Amino acid sequence: MKRIFSVPDIHCGSCVMLLETLEEDYDGISNVKVDLIKKEATIDFDESTISPEAIIKAIKKTTNYEAVLNAA
């Protein structure tokens, strides 16, 4: 499943790099693509392994930024 998460506080390349580590650090996340201009992360994940809510918590834990799931 691919979903877009809004991360309004990202502001630089380091933020992008931190978000991209999610796929290495969390089972079930297979790809993270960050758009710094839109302040969004498009994340491919296996919903049987990790939920969107768990991804939001992972974003908070990894970056200390709040995230919300964009409406699909």
Side-chain angles (χ1 to χ4, degrees):
M1 170 174 274
K2 182 184 290 189
R3 298 298 295 268
I4 299 173
F5 296 81
S6 177
V7 190
D9 293 330
I10 61 173
H11 60 276
C12 65
S14 292
C15 300
V16 171
M17 287 175 41
L18 278 174
L19 282 168
E20 289 175 345
T21 66
L22 292 173
E23 69 183 84
E24 299 168 8
D25 296 339
Y26 291 90
D27 290 337
I29 297 177
S30 58
N31 189 24
V32 178
K33 183 172 174 21
V34 180
D35 185 324
L36 187 56
I37 302 299
K38 291 183 179 179
K39 298 184 180 273
E40 294 178 339
T42 301
I43 300 177
D44 291 316
F45 62 98
D46 178 352
E47 61 188 321
S48 68
T49 305
I50 191 166
S51 68
E53 294 79 15
I55 292 172
I56 289 170
K57 288 179 184 176
I59 290 170
K60 177 69 173 173
K61 182 177 180 182
T62 302
T63 67
N64 205 33
Y65 296 146
E66 301 294 332
V68 294
L69 182 62
N70 287 5

